[in-house]
């Protein structure tokens, strides 16, 4: 029956077939099976919730109520109706249920595109907390869309950085860092006083650094498209550096023994 419904959906919408072929078949099939089994209508939109570990995942599912649990051979996660994460109250409830867990809540998508929410949440989970524990927390893809777009393909990001930040290549790391911070603030539309305040330096220092940057980049800083790509390159490098620092800190920090979990409250 599930296959028949999936085939009917493919016949009506060719893009649905593409979703299944890209790896969304298992998620879509289980959603259909769940609807057939329970008689509940399929939610208009769903979100993936990806977890670092599957400890007590069924207790989490029970507390959330209306959701679908990943198969044992898949990365631990859930599919929930998108409305469960709507608004401050929805987010607060999810954070309470997922307390002390490294978890990422994906963006809202139609059920046929569930695999997209899974991919985005999984990618952000790779950049977030390495382990469950008191320092772990819930992160929402909706709050990090630009970061995910920039880091969607790190190879392309490295190519963009190498191309657009080449004028900084011969500088010492300390000088490069200072100029990058100044340039990024300036590209964000700040004037010298605002940049000085943001970086806690004197406005005259900002003007001196900008003269240096104008010598290094020349006419590139006057071309809107190039300025946009330079800003993308700077933000990509900043994000990747932060990710490396976070991973290094997680590797150095010893994992605490997990404390016994209490049963989660039902909705």
């Amino acid at each position: 029956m599930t296959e028949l419904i999936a085939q009917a959906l493919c016949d009506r919408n060719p893009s649905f077939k593409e979703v299944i072929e890209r790896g969304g078949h298992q998620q879509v099939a289980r959603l259909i099976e769940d609807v057939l089994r329970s008689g509940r209508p399929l939610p208009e939109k769903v979100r993936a919730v990806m977890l670092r570990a599957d400890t007590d995942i069924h207790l989490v599912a029970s507390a959330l109520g209306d959701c679908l649990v990943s198969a044992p051979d898949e990365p631990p996660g859930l599919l929930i109706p998108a409305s469960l994460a709507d608004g401050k109250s929805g987010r607060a409830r999810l954070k309470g249920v997922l307390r002390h867990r490294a978890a990422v809540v994906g963006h809202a998508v139609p059920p046929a595109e569930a695999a997209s929410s899974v991919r985005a949440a999984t990618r952000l989970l790779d950049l977030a907390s390495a382990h469950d524990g008191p320092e772990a927390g819930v992160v929402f893809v909706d709050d990090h869309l630009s970061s995910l777009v920039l880091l969607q393909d790190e190879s392309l990001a490295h190519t963009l950085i190498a191309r657009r930040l080449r004028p900084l290549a011969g500088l010492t790391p300390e000088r490069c860092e200072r100029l990058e911070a100044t340039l990024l603030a300036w590209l964000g539309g700040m004037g010298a006083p605002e940049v000085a305040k943001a970086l806690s330096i004197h406005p005259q220092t900002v003007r001196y650094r900008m003269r240096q940057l104008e010598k290094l980049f020349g006419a590139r800083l006057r071309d809107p498209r190039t300025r946009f790509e330079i800003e993308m390159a700077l933000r990509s490098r900043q994000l990747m550096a932060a990710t490396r620092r976070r991973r290094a800190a997680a590797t150095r920090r010893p994992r605490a023994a997990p404390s016994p979990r209490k049963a989660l409250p039902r909705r």
Side-chain angles (χ1 to χ4, degrees):
M1 178 63 76
T2 299
E3 294 298 329
L4 289 174
I5 294 173
Q7 184 58 52
L9 290 170
C10 289
D11 291 341
R12 291 186 182 187
N13 186 352
S15 64
F16 190 90
K17 183 176 180 180
E18 294 176 12
V19 170
I20 291 178
E21 290 176 346
R22 287 201 303 269
H25 182 274
Q26 288 181 313
Q27 290 95 340
V28 172
R30 286 204 303 279
L31 274 174
I32 294 172
E33 289 171 358
D34 189 51
V35 171
L36 290 174
R37 184 170 54 252
S38 65
R40 294 194 306 271
L42 200 65
E44 289 186 9
K45 290 193 174 182
V46 298
R47 296 177 188 266
V49 179
M50 302 307 294
L51 308 173
R52 179 67 65 194
D54 62 359
T55 308
D56 297 336
I57 190 171
H58 288 283
L59 286 177
V60 174
S62 177
L64 292 175
D66 193 11
C67 64
L68 193 64
V69 181
S70 58
D73 60 341
E74 293 180 332
L78 308 158
L79 279 180
I80 65 173
S83 58
L84 289 183
D86 286 349
K88 291 183 179 179
S89 60
R91 285 193 170 203
R93 180 166 173 268
L94 274 176
K95 287 179 179 180
V97 171
L98 296 168
R99 185 169 175 263
H100 291 177
R101 295 175 185 271
V104 173
V105 180
H107 57 304
V109 294
E113 299 174 21
S116 173
S117 189
V118 171
R119 282 194 299 272
T122 300
R123 176 62 174 136
L124 188 54
L125 186 62
D126 289 340
L127 306 175
S129 300
H131 309 299
D132 288 350
E135 296 181 12
V138 182
V139 182
F140 294 83
V141 165
D142 289 345
D143 298 336
H144 299 273
L145 293 173
S146 59
S147 298
L148 285 169
V149 169
L150 286 174
L151 298 182
Q152 186 170 238
D153 189 319
E154 288 197 21
S155 175
L156 285 177
H158 283 297
T159 300
L160 180 66
I161 289 168
R163 179 182 180 188
R164 288 307 180 195
L165 302 186
R166 187 178 296 119
L168 302 174
L171 306 181
T172 64
E174 294 79 10
R175 187 183 177 199
C176 184
E177 184 177 354
R178 291 195 295 268
L179 290 181
E180 283 187 8
T182 304
L183 181 55
L184 188 57
W186 179 78
L187 289 170
M190 295 183 182
E194 293 82 7
V195 173
K197 185 177 180 180
L199 301 181
S200 300
I201 57 178
H202 195 279
Q204 194 59 35
T205 303
V206 175
R207 296 186 184 96
Y208 171 71
R209 290 182 184 177
M210 285 309 305
R211 287 195 294 271
Q212 289 181 300
L213 287 164
E214 286 168 3
K215 288 181 181 178
L216 289 167
F217 285 89
R220 300 180 189 89
L221 294 183
R222 294 187 288 276
D223 178 69
R225 178 175 176 177
T226 305
R227 282 204 310 270
F228 176 66
E229 291 188 356
I230 290 172
E231 183 175 4
M232 286 179 65
L234 287 168
R235 294 194 182 280
S236 295
R237 179 135 81 181
Q238 189 179 69
L239 285 167
M240 287 189 284
T243 300
R244 285 194 300 271
R245 288 193 299 270
R246 192 157 46 243
R247 286 174 177 167
T251 301
R252 289 193 301 268
R253 185 175 62 247
R255 295 185 62 174
S259 57
R261 298 185 185 275
K262 296 179 180 179
L264 296 168
R266 290 182 177 272
R267 183 173 53 176

